[in-house]
Amino acid sequence: MTTPTDTSPAPEPAPGRAGSPAPERRSWLRDHSELGVCVMLLALGVLVLTDALTMDVDITQRGPVGPKTVPIVVGAGLLVIAALLAVDVLRGGRGEAEGGEDVDLSEPADWRTVLLLSGIFLGAAALIEPAGFPVAGALLFWGAAFALGSRRVDRDPLIAAVLSLLTYVVFDKLLGVPLPGGPLMGVL
């Protein structure tokens, strides 16, 4: 008695398995990209601790809690979080992709808005000293509203001016945090 022979062709190997080309390997750093956040947290923690420990404190300070206490706690916390996150990433932990109802992950970043906001922020920072906070703040609030899509030129400048003046009065007059008034210093 003879056994029948199978004349059908052999099946092709599935993709990604032995016999097919090896899939592209991602680099180790790309697989552990969260370590970049760890490095940033570590650098920030070292910076905060360095500034806190080199802070010149008046010898007449009373009590155990002084101006160095909070920065030292924050700096130490940043170092601990950086270490814990690094351990988690090296053990295989991965950050989850952002998921939200209002976020369309298939759309590219809106770099025009980011660059507009960055320019407005830097411009306001440059104008605070010569023009004063009320003027620079009003331009910051109005520019941010424009960059984010508001085109109401009849009300946006007025709202920005009122918001900036209120912020100036609250910080400068009520809280005692001196802000530069600029040309409006004598008026306010």
Side-chain angles (χ1 to χ4, degrees), residues 33-124:
S33 60
E34 290 92 349
L35 289 175
V37 176
C38 299
V39 170
M40 183 195 66
L41 290 173
L42 178 74
L44 190 61
V46 167
L47 177 69
V48 169
L49 281 175
T50 303
D51 280 350
L53 294 174
T54 59
M55 186 184 297
D56 192 23
V57 179
D58 190 6
I59 193 128
T60 61
Q61 167 192 326
R62 293 185 190 176
V65 178
K68 288 185 174 185
T69 305
V70 171
I72 288 175
V73 169
V74 169
L78 285 169
L79 294 179
V80 168
I81 290 172
L84 291 174
L85 181 60
V87 168
D88 180 53
V89 170
L90 293 174
R91 286 184 174 176
R94 301 274 309 162
E96 292 185 25
E98 182 178 356
E101 298 174 6
D102 59 343
V103 178
D104 186 6
L105 297 176
S106 65
E107 290 293 319
D110 185 7
W111 287 107
R112 179 183 176 272
T113 302
V114 171
L115 292 175
L116 269 172
L117 284 172
S118 299
I120 291 164
F121 181 76
L122 292 174

Side-chain angles (χ1 to χ4, degrees), residues 154-181:
D154 57 335
R155 73 164 187 208
D156 288 349
L158 180 62
I159 293 171
V162 169
L163 188 59
S164 180
L165 283 172
L166 284 174
T167 304
Y168 176 77
V169 168
V170 166
F171 276 88
D172 195 62
K173 306 300 182 197
L174 298 177
L175 296 175
V177 177
L179 294 175

